[in-house]
Every structure is written in structure tokens, then in C-alpha cells.
Amino acid sequence: MGDVAIKAVNYVAARAGQKRVIPAGPTYKIRGTEYRFRDGRAFPSYLQAGPSFFIEKTKRAMIAEDIAAALALVG
């Protein structure tokens, strides 16, 4: 999940009277940590889209790591 999804999860939690599910901060700093909300897992990940995806190789590696970690959780 990227920044928009993180904000949405935290908004839903706030509307339900709960504290923040995912802490504030840059996604690249909080990625790699699993958070729980209700009966599900929130898995912050750096999301890179558009033409910049082909420019920043280090961020592509982070995305690949996050996808592999998420697949390991469900597989």
C-alpha cells in the first residue's frame, strides 16, 4: 500500500474511534513492518508509478522486496 492507502486506513481507524494504525512518516522508513487493523494486515510499501519507475533502480529493488515479503505472508 502506498501513501494514499496508508492515509485511508488511518482515516477509517480514526472514524472508528481507534488510534493510528500506521505511524506518520515517509513510507520508505516504515516499510518492512507489518501493522494490524481489525482482522487484517496493513503492509506499507513504497509505490512508484509512471515514467519514474524506470529511473530509480534502488526504489525498484524496494518494491520487489516488499512484494516478495507480502507474497511470503500469503503463500
Side-chain angles (χ1 to χ4, degrees):
M1 67 179 354
D3 290 339
V4 173
I6 290 169
K7 288 177 186 175
V9 167
N10 284 331
Y11 176 79
V12 170
R15 296 275 300 180
Q18 298 178 8
K19 62 180 185 164
R20 274 183 99 90
V21 176
I22 302 168
T27 304
Y28 73 91
K29 288 186 177 180
I30 60 172
R31 63 181 275 278
T33 304
E34 179 185 315
Y35 301 94
R36 294 216 169 254
F37 179 62
R38 296 184 179 161
D39 292 329
R41 294 181 224 183
F43 192 80
S45 175
Y46 183 78
L47 179 64
Q48 188 175 9
S52 64
F53 179 79
F54 297 105
I55 295 171
E56 301 182 49
K57 291 181 182 180
T58 57
K59 292 187 177 165
R60 282 190 285 173
M62 283 193 295
I63 294 167
E65 290 170 6
D66 292 344
I67 291 170
L71 289 174
L73 291 173
V74 297

